[in-house]
Amino acid sequence: MTPPAPDPQPGSPSALRREVLRLAFPAFLALVAEPLFLLADSAIVGFLGTNSLAGLGVASAVLLTAVNIFVFLAYGTTAIVARKLGAGDQRGALAAGIDGLWLAVILGVIAALAVALWAQPLVAVFGATPEATAEAVIYLRVSTLGIPPMLLVLAATGVLRGLQDTRTPLVAAVAGFSVNAVLSLVLVHVVGWGIAGAAWGTVIAQTGMAIALVWVVVVGARRLEAPMGFTASGVLRSALDGVPLLVRTLSLRAVLLVTTWVAAGLGTPELAAHQVAMTVWSALAFSLDALAIAAQALTGKSLGAGDVTRTRATTAMMVRWSIWFGVVLAALVIVLHQVIPLGFSTDPQVRAALAAALIVVAVVQPVSGVAFILDGVLIGAGDTRWLAVAQTVFLVAYLPMVLAVWAADVVGVTGLVWLWVAFGGFMTIRAAGLWWRARGDAWMVVGDSSR
């Protein structure tokens, strides 16, 4: 009998590959689950009509901004928890995670109240037609109930990723978004609630996910006797640590919002097509982001343990993987660019505009892969102040490009294509800036820097 192959030595290329795949594969499945069910929501709402789909595009831009500006609850928590884990302080890692959960509750309630009160003016900013605006307001007001659970999901997921557990968030994501898709279909087309049914499906599913993930974190904290109560100093520290990532995320959301604003001026069919194209791009981004999540967790852990060599080796390997993964995704979208629109609208104008935009979406994928992976590495390293400044610079560089599309007053398919070309330019600038930073050593601070 042939003896079993010995386990790879820690730090060897084979061991690095295994560790990256152990974290990245479940993260990939979890991340893909979310946009796939968002795509399902788009398809379900799309068959209510073009105005409903356009309204979903505007409402989604506002809702995702209200939630994703607090993505530091996941990213920042992953880095802090992973560093403490690498430094051998698992109890401190969970204590930091509990502080993040309390902060998520506070921010979630504030954000929900703000969006509910200002739903109408927030939607009106995009300048969509009155019919699309009315649909957007309905969706947004119902969806505000799901903002606190969404932020709790972010925070709890960040804790678990920092503890090198990406399987539990995968189970929660698949279960939650499966429930979301079924509820949306039933409430929209069977019960007859229209676009409000899709919003209620999301609220119910996100609440269930939040309860499940928070429970897992709390059980782990109790086992290690980590402090569970609200501590003002701990929550304040989590909030202050998150400020640079908040600035980074606000700059990113500004890019997406100004892009949607320009798309709204191209015409209702083009806005509807842009909504689906952005959802497809988000699905692809989530796929590529699986490696970035592994990069956050592994970078934080290895730097916490003081292992710079391992950090460099892991980063180089994941950059190569992200480029090739981006090439595969690009080829897939190009092959399907005429097929994908058939699942989202019966309007031939929407289908034509979407097919054209998807070509540009495909071309951008390899560059996007580099940007996402290096962003994850620097977040995992805690290099958040540099990221805040850099992302603001990237936004400023993008504005002349996207505003040139607006000023040229091009409409229809041509306008949508040029808008996505401008967005591709933004991703190229972002990737180049992050690559320049990663080449140096200033971001590689070792040990538990949070102490």
Side-chain angles (χ1 to χ4, degrees), residues 153-251:
V153 168
L154 285 177
T157 299
V159 177
L160 294 171
R161 288 173 181 168
L163 294 172
Q164 316 295 290
D165 175 11
T166 55
R167 291 185 180 181
T168 301
L170 166 61
V171 173
V174 172
F177 292 115
S178 296
V179 170
N180 183 18
V182 172
L183 283 175
S184 293
L185 181 61
V186 170
L187 295 176
V188 171
H189 292 293
V190 178
V191 178
W193 287 1
I195 197 171
W200 277 113
T202 300
V203 169
I204 295 169
Q206 289 285 351
T207 301
M209 288 175 62
I211 292 170
L213 290 173
V214 169
W215 175 256
V216 172
V217 174
V218 168
V219 168
R222 284 179 174 172
R223 186 175 63 249
L224 294 176
E225 298 182 349
M228 301 289 300
F230 176 87
T231 57
S233 60
V235 173
L236 178 61
R237 182 170 59 251
S238 294
L240 292 176
D241 288 343
V243 168
L245 280 177
L246 176 61
V247 173
R248 162 205 171 269
T249 305
L250 284 172
S251 296

Side-chain angles (χ1 to χ4, degrees), residues 31 57 97 99 105 114 133 144 149 168 174 192 197 235-236 251 254 279 289 306 326 331 347 355 381 389 395:
L31 289 168
D99 290 335
V105 172
T133 297
T144 55
T168 301
V174 172
V235 173
L236 178 61
S251 296
T279 305
D289 218 25
D347 188 330
V389 174
L395 166 62

Side-chain angles (χ1 to χ4, degrees), residues 30-52:
L31 289 168
V32 167
E34 179 175 350
L36 284 179
F37 288 111
L38 288 176
L39 285 170
D41 268 358
S42 295
I44 291 166
V45 171
F47 284 93
L48 289 173
T50 301
N51 286 320
S52 294

Side-chain angles (χ1 to χ4, degrees), residues 216-360:
V216 172
V217 174
V218 168
V219 168
R222 284 179 174 172
R223 186 175 63 249
L224 294 176
E225 298 182 349
M228 301 289 300
F230 176 87
T231 57
S233 60
V235 173
L236 178 61
R237 182 170 59 251
S238 294
L240 292 176
D241 288 343
V243 168
L245 280 177
L246 176 61
V247 173
R248 162 205 171 269
T249 305
L250 284 172
S251 296
L252 278 172
R253 293 309 306 177
V255 168
L256 299 179
L257 287 173
V258 74
T259 304
T260 301
W261 177 75
V262 173
L266 300 175
T268 298
E270 287 69 32
L271 176 57
H274 175 74
Q275 149 64 15
V276 179
M278 187 57 75
T279 305
V280 171
W281 183 84
S282 297
L284 299 173
F286 279 128
S287 301
L288 292 167
D289 218 25
L291 286 173
I293 286 171
Q296 291 172 28
L298 293 175
T299 300
K301 184 180 178 182
S302 60
L303 289 180
D307 194 342
V308 173
T309 302
R310 184 181 181 85
T311 303
R312 281 286 187 200
T314 306
T315 299
M317 181 180 66
M318 287 191 290
V319 168
R320 290 194 299 271
W321 286 12
S322 67
I323 293 173
W324 282 112
F325 193 20
V327 170
V328 171
L329 292 177
L332 182 63
V333 173
I334 288 174
V335 169
L336 297 176
H337 80 282
Q338 293 283 1
V339 177
I340 292 172
L342 302 179
F344 294 94
S345 178
T346 57
D347 188 330
Q349 288 182 278
V350 174
R351 289 179 174 180
L354 178 56
L358 288 176
I359 294 293
V360 187

Side-chain angles (χ1 to χ4, degrees), residues 14-169:
S14 178
L16 286 177
R17 285 194 294 270
R18 286 192 179 189
E19 191 167 11
V20 170
L21 289 173
R22 179 181 65 81
L23 293 173
F25 187 66
F28 167 75
L29 295 176
L31 289 168
V32 167
E34 179 175 350
L36 284 179
F37 288 111
L38 288 176
L39 285 170
D41 268 358
S42 295
I44 291 166
V45 171
F47 284 93
L48 289 173
T50 301
N51 286 320
S52 294
L53 184 57
L56 178 64
V58 172
S60 294
V62 177
L63 181 63
L64 291 176
T65 297
V67 173
N68 287 341
I69 60 173
F70 302 118
V71 75
F72 67 84
L73 290 167
Y75 291 174
T77 303
T78 296
I80 293 169
V81 170
R83 260 191 193 271
K84 289 185 176 293
L85 183 67
D89 184 11
Q90 191 172 358
R91 182 176 181 274
L94 281 163
I98 293 297
D99 290 335
L101 293 180
W102 280 111
L103 181 61
V105 172
I106 295 170
L107 294 177
V109 171
I110 294 172
L113 289 173
V115 174
L117 288 173
W118 297 324
Q120 181 71 45
L122 286 171
V123 167
V125 168
F126 291 88
T129 63
E131 294 80 7
T133 297
E135 293 285 277
V137 171
I138 292 171
Y139 184 91
L140 190 57
R141 283 184 171 153
V142 174
S143 296
T144 55
L145 296 172
I147 292 178
M150 288 178 186
L151 296 194
L152 278 170
V153 168
L154 285 177
T157 299
V159 177
L160 294 171
R161 288 173 181 168
L163 294 172
Q164 316 295 290
D165 175 11
T166 55
R167 291 185 180 181
T168 301

